[in-house]
Amino acid sequence: MSRQTHSVKWILLVLFLSIALPWGLWCQERVLSPVEWTVLPKEVYVGDQVELRCVIAPGFELLPGDVDFVTRSFLADEIWGAQDVGSRQKLTARQEEFPLTVHSISLQRIDQGYSVSLMLTPWQPGEIEPGYLEVTALPEVRGFLEKIRGPVLVQLPKIPIASLADKTDARQLRPVAPPVLVPGSIYVVYGLAMVALVLLVGLVVLLARFQQVRLFFKGLASRIRLSRNYRIAVRQLKRLRGQPLDHRELAAQLASIARTYLEGRFARPFTAAATSEIMLLLDEIFVGMLSDQQLELVEHLLVLLRRCDYLRYAPAAVMLEGEKERLIQSMEEFIGCMEGKQ
């Protein structure tokens, strides 16, 4: 009975070791060496952004069956391991104190196994040893391999960083070089300088003759206003010829056209003035300096306005034969003389 008990103990011990030993080895950290690796671009200098691409064959799945690609930007400290696997410690120093800066990492399923891609920037020439990358620190990998106690590390190869000083054989700082001009661009520069000079001279002349320029534009605006006022009056007189108006309506239209024209010509309230006040307004405008010809023209206008008033307000007023055409023609002659047309 004791021999049987002893045999059972040995059998249980063997079974325990056969199960526990592989499980212990499985739970230990696993270090994967790349099957192949490449650096893009082939020639890397300090400060360049470089991609380190490694192909690994772990022999077991790192990602779930429905996930083929994972990525993470700017790796945290728990993903980047120390160079010594035996006494692996997490990096606590800032990245600017490390010989390179890591921007992102990606893990992709491929036919040979998995492709690990790192985007990084080196900060010193020579061969840089990135050390080991802990892929189980990626959330997707850690969530899939949550039963594995030990981490899965990828041993990253050395990255050769070329030196610009060695390539150019430069041992000291070069003097400051002047800017390089594109052939033919000097004429463009000269042309722009001439245009700027002409604009500057024009601005100076404009400022020096500001008063003259202001008076010129003021006179131009006044001429445009007077020309428009004249055209409106002539157009209204032409329209009267074709309208079947009685003598009262015709007289009212003629008086309104004459007063509106004078108000637009001299900027005085002729439309609100009585016929007897027209002469006073013109004396105020010309300060009593009207010539004999101008006085004759004004008296002719007053005769026309008095006739219009008579036709409008006199109960027994009757328009003579052909008087409509004579009144319109006389008003056109008056306006023409005021504008210097006749």
Side-chain angles (χ1 to χ4, degrees):
M1 196 65 185
S2 60
R3 290 182 178 180
Q4 292 179 354
T5 303
H6 186 67
S7 300
V8 170
K9 290 181 178 180
W10 275 105
I11 292 173
L12 292 175
L13 179 60
V14 171
L15 289 175
F16 175 78
L17 292 176
S18 62
I19 295 175
L21 184 58
W23 176 255
L25 294 175
W26 176 257
C27 292
Q28 292 179 358
E29 60 187 13
R30 289 171 172 263
V31 179
L32 304 176
S33 297
V35 177
E36 59 182 58
W37 62 276
T38 182
V39 178
L40 299 175
K42 297 297 183 181
E43 193 171 14
V44 183
Y45 297 94
V46 173
D48 292 345
Q49 187 166 350
V50 58
E51 180 182 5
L52 175 60
R53 190 179 301 171
C54 303
V55 176
I56 59 174
F60 54 88
E61 296 294 335
L62 295 177
L63 294 173
D66 57 344
V67 179
D68 293 331
F69 177 81
V70 294
T71 184
R72 184 174 179 184
S73 299
F74 194 75
L75 302 181
D77 290 342
E78 66 268 20
I79 293 181
W80 197 256
Q83 296 184 15
D84 186 3
V85 183
S87 59
R88 190 183 70 257
Q89 296 179 356
K90 309 304 179 183
L91 291 175
T92 56
R94 293 178 299 175
Q95 285 209 32
E96 55 262 25
E97 298 175 0
F98 205 59
L100 53 84
T101 297
V102 180
H103 302 290
S104 65
I105 179 176
S106 62
L107 180 66
Q108 183 178 7
R109 190 195 309 272
I110 58 176
D111 295 337
Q112 298 91 332
Y114 291 90
S115 173
V116 179
S117 176
L118 289 93
M119 299 300 297
L120 47 87
T121 300
W123 299 116
Q124 68 182 31
E127 283 191 341
I128 296 180
E129 298 183 6
Y132 296 84
L133 177 69
E134 185 178 343
V135 294
T136 49
L138 289 170
E140 295 83 358
V141 179
R142 183 173 61 251
F144 179 64
L145 301 178
E146 60 183 356
K147 296 181 180 180
I148 299 179
R149 298 180 181 177
V152 177
L153 305 178
V154 177
Q155 184 177 6
L156 300 176
K158 297 179 181 180
I159 304 176
I161 308 301
S163 174
L164 284 174
D166 295 337
K167 181 178 180 179
T168 58
D169 196 23
R171 301 304 178 197
Q172 60 184 0
L173 294 177
R174 296 181 180 179
V176 178
V180 179
L181 292 178
V182 179
S185 62
I186 187 64
Y187 300 106
V188 177
V189 175
Y190 288 157
L192 293 176
M194 291 297 295
V195 171
L197 181 60
V198 171
L199 292 177
L200 181 60
V201 172
L203 181 61
V204 172
V205 173
L206 184 63
L207 293 176
R209 299 186 177 182
F210 175 75
Q211 185 66 16
Q212 297 179 4
V213 173
R214 187 179 68 85
L215 292 176
F216 168 77
F217 283 106
K218 185 177 180 181
L220 179 62
S222 178
R223 287 193 296 270
I224 293 174
R225 178 179 59 81
L226 294 178
S227 175
R228 182 173 179 272
N229 183 60
Y230 167 72
R231 291 196 306 270
I232 291 175
V234 172
R235 186 164 57 247
Q236 289 175 343
L237 290 174
K238 289 181 179 179
R239 192 181 299 119
L240 282 181
R241 284 192 169 92
Q243 293 180 352
L245 303 175
D246 59 16
H247 61 279
R248 289 186 175 84
E249 293 177 350
L250 177 64
Q253 291 280 355
L254 281 174
S256 176
I257 292 172
R259 293 172 184 275
T260 303
Y261 167 76
L262 289 173
E263 187 167 309
R265 184 74 169 76
F266 299 108
R268 291 292 191 278
F270 284 93
T271 56
T275 303
S276 58
E277 298 174 344
I278 298 294
M279 190 63 187
L280 297 176
L281 289 175
L282 291 174
D283 282 338
E284 180 183 346
I285 294 170
F286 293 100
V287 199
M289 301 296 292
L290 290 173
S291 63
D292 295 339
Q293 184 178 2
Q294 291 172 336
L295 283 173
E296 183 180 355
L297 185 62
V298 170
E299 290 174 357
H300 180 64
L301 172 65
L302 293 177
V303 170
L304 288 175
L305 291 178
R306 291 191 186 100
R307 179 58 180 169
C308 290
D309 291 343
Y310 177 78
L311 293 174
R312 291 174 63 187
Y313 302 115
V318 177
M319 183 175 291
L320 303 176
E321 183 179 355
E323 188 176 8
K324 174 182 177 180
E325 181 64 28
R326 289 195 301 272
L327 289 175
I328 295 176
Q329 184 176 357
S330 298
M331 191 65 69
E332 288 177 344
E333 291 176 356
F334 166 73
I335 294 176
C337 291
M338 291 296 294
E339 296 293 329
K341 307 290 184 182
Q342 297 180 10

